[in-house]
Structure formats: structure tokens, C-alpha cells
Amino acid sequence: GELSHEQALTKCKTDEERFFAHYYLGAKSLVDGRVAEAEEWFKKCVANGQNWTQEFDLARWHLERLASQ
């Protein structure tokens, strides 16, 4: 089954795990049409600072794209 956002985040034990959770929760929210929610997840992802990952770059790209709409 699917975990709630809160359940997924409580399973994260490190900042890196939370970073990836924030990104993929944002991606899922965006796919589901919950744009404002996705933006908040992507902001949390970028704020985490794991800037050597593809997900960091993608989160920034999504935020830039959403800001221009």
C-alpha cells in the first residue's frame, strides 16, 4: 500500500533520506496535480542542501518552472 507523507517522512533517519523523500513527495504531488504542495516539497528539498544530486537540480528546475507560470 501507499504511505502517507507523514509516514514516509517518519521512516527517514538521516537528512539525506529526508532530502530524497522531499523530492519524490514533490514529484508525486506534481504528477497528481497538487502544484502548491509540490512547490513546498521542492523548496524543502533545495533547503536541505544536497546540491551534488540530480534531484537537487531537478527540484530547482521545477521551482523555476512553477514560478514562471
Side-chain angles (χ1 to χ4, degrees):
E2 265 187 50
L3 296 176
S4 70
H5 294 154
E6 295 78 22
Q7 289 171 322
L9 288 171
T10 59
K11 292 193 176 287
C12 297
K13 297 190 181 2
T14 66
D15 284 343
E16 185 175 16
E17 289 176 352
R18 278 183 286 282
F19 164 80
F20 285 110
H22 289 149
Y23 175 77
Y24 288 104
L25 288 169
K28 174 78 166 106
S29 296
L30 195 57
V31 167
D32 291 344
R34 297 186 312 270
V35 176
E37 183 179 299
E39 189 172 11
E40 291 306 311
W41 289 121
F42 291 138
K43 285 179 182 177
K44 289 179 181 184
C45 176
V46 170
N48 186 289
Q50 309 278 330
N51 61 355
W52 56 89
T53 66
Q54 181 178 10
E55 286 83 356
F56 181 88
D57 293 336
L58 287 169
R60 284 184 35 208
W61 180 82
H62 282 299
L63 288 170
E64 291 169 6
R65 187 176 144 264
L66 293 171
S68 68
Q69 290 183 351

